[in-house]
Amino acid sequence: MTSSGLIDSGDTSFIIISTALVFLMTPGLALFYGGMVRKKNVLSTVMHSFIIMGVSSVLWISVGFSLAFGTDHGGMIGSLQWVGLRGVGMEPNVDYSGTIPFLLFMAFQMMFTLITPAIISGSIAERMRFPAFLGFIVLWLLMVYYPLAHWVWGVGGFLREMGALDFAGGTVVHISSGVTGLVAALILGKRKGYGKEPMAPHQLPMTVLGAGLLWFGWFGFNAGSALGANGLAVMALVTTNTSAAAGALAWTATEWIHRGKPTILGAASGAIAGLVAITPGAGFVTPMSSLVIGLIGGAICYFSVSVLKAKLGYDDSLDAFGCHGIGGIWGALATGIFASASVGGTDGLLYGNAAQVGIQAIGVVITIGLSVVATFVIMKLVSVFTPLRVTAEEEEMGLDISQHGEQAYPDFIGSGYFPAFASVVKTVGVPAASGQPGK
C-alpha cells in the first residue's frame, strides 16, 4: 500500500466531524440501554459501554487496525505491519484514504469498534459478571470484529472481492453484534424472575435521549463512510434519516394495531431499527428505496421483539438481536434488492442484477456462522478462568452494588456518601426528601 495524493481540507474536516459523531453514539447507546434496565442495574449497564470506549480504543491502535486493514493474507486477515500505528501517518493512503490523512481513516474506523461490542451488552445486561464481560469483549474483537472487518472492507478481503456490499456496517457491526448477543444470552440463561416478575424500563426519558443521540451520531456513521464531503455523503445522510423516520413510524403503527397503544419506547426502538436496516445500503440505494427499507425494517423488528422472542422464550435483555441482528439481516438483503448503480455503482435485483441478492445472502450466512461459533468458543474459554454469571444473591441485589459498589439513585440521607452531613441532618430532624423543618 502506498501513500500518495493530496489532502483535501473539506474532506478532512468532514471526516473529523463524522469521527466525533460516531464516537458520540457509544455514550448515546449507554443512555439508551441504561434507561431500559431496572434502576438497580443502570450503572453496570452504562459501564459496559463506557469501559469499551477505553478497551476498544487501546486494542485498536495496538493491533486491531493492522489486523483489519493491513496487507491481506489469503483474504482472511491483515498483517501486523501497522502494529502500534507504525507507518500510519498524516499523509493519505490511496487504498483507503485518498484525500484524508491515513491516521484520520484509522480514527474513523476506530469509532466503529467502540459501538459494535457495546451493542452486544444489551443482550447480556443485568446478569453477566464484569470480569467475564471484559475478557469476552477483548477476545471477541480479536476473533470476530477484526477478521470480519478485513473480509468486508479490507483490500483483498474475500467478501469484498466477492462483491458483497456493506456501506457502513450492516454485517460487520449489526449482524455480528446482534447474533453474538443472542448466543451469549442463551449461554448465560434467563434473568432471575424473567417472565414472572416485572422488568419494565426504569427511566424512559433517558432511553429516548439515548435514541436521539444515536440518530444524530448515525449521520457520521453512514454519511462519513463516503470518506469525503461529496454527493455520496449527502445521499447517505438523506437515506439514513428517511429510513430512521420510516422505521419509527412503522414500529409505532404496528404496535398500535397489535397492542392497542403506541409507546415512546416503541417509537425510539423503531427509529433504531430503521437506522440499522439502512446502514449497509446507505450509499447504494435511493431515498425512496430507503423509505421502503425503513418501513419494513421497523415492522419486522417489532415482531421479532414482541412476538418471536416471546414464542421462543429467550432472554435478549434489551433486544440487541431483535433490533440489530434482525434489522441487520434485512438491511443486508435489502441492499441486494434495492441497490442502484446511479448511487453507488452497483445494481441490485430491482435494476436487473438478481445475483447481488445471492452475494448479500452469502455475506449474511458467513457473518452469522462466524459470530455463532466464535461466541460459543469465547464464552466457554472465558468460563474456564472466571464465572460468567453473577450469583443469584448478586443478581437480586443488583449489579450496580454487587459488581461496582455504587448506586445510580442513592437515598441522600444515610446513603454513605456524606455520612457526616447525614448525621447532622438527622440530629436536627430534617426529613430527607422535603427539606422542610422537622417536627
Side-chain angles (χ1 to χ4, degrees), residues 314-364:
Y314 58 85
D315 184 11
D316 175 11
S317 306
L318 308 180
D319 299 310
F321 174 71
C323 286
H324 296 272
I326 297 297
I329 291 169
W330 159 242
L333 297 176
T335 302
I337 297 170
F338 294 100
S340 171
S342 66
V343 176
T346 302
D347 280 327
L349 173 65
L350 292 185
Y351 298 90
N353 181 21
Q356 191 63 45
V357 178
I359 294 173
Q360 297 299 108
I362 291 172
V364 168

Side-chain angles (χ1 to χ4, degrees), residues 123-143:
S123 290
I124 53 83
E126 302 194 302
R127 61 198 188 278
M128 191 171 189
R129 295 183 70 247
F130 188 65
F133 177 77
L134 285 177
F136 175 83
I137 290 303
V138 170
L139 292 175
W140 189 86
L141 288 167
L142 290 168
M143 295 174 62

Side-chain angles (χ1 to χ4, degrees), residues 52 55-56 59-60 64 67 77 112-121 128 132-149 169-184 367-379 381-382:
I52 283 172
V55 172
S56 291
L59 197 60
W60 182 248
L67 291 174
I77 196 68
F112 287 66
T113 73
L114 272 57
I115 188 69
T116 306
I119 291 170
I120 299 170
S121 68
M128 191 171 189
F133 177 77
L134 285 177
F136 175 83
I137 290 303
V138 170
L139 292 175
W140 189 86
L141 288 167
L142 290 168
M143 295 174 62
V144 178
Y145 187 88
Y146 302 156
L148 187 57
T171 51
V172 180
V173 175
H174 297 294
I175 297 177
S176 67
S177 60
V179 171
T180 293
L182 175 62
V183 175
T367 302
I368 292 173
L370 172 66
S371 301
V372 169
V373 173
T375 301
F376 180 82
V377 171
I378 294 169
M379 290 288 278
L381 181 61
V382 171

Side-chain angles (χ1 to χ4, degrees), residues 152-170:
V152 175
W153 293 327
V155 172
F158 80 93
L159 287 177
R160 173 172 169 162
E161 294 297 312
M162 186 187 299
L165 303 178
D166 188 354
F167 191 73

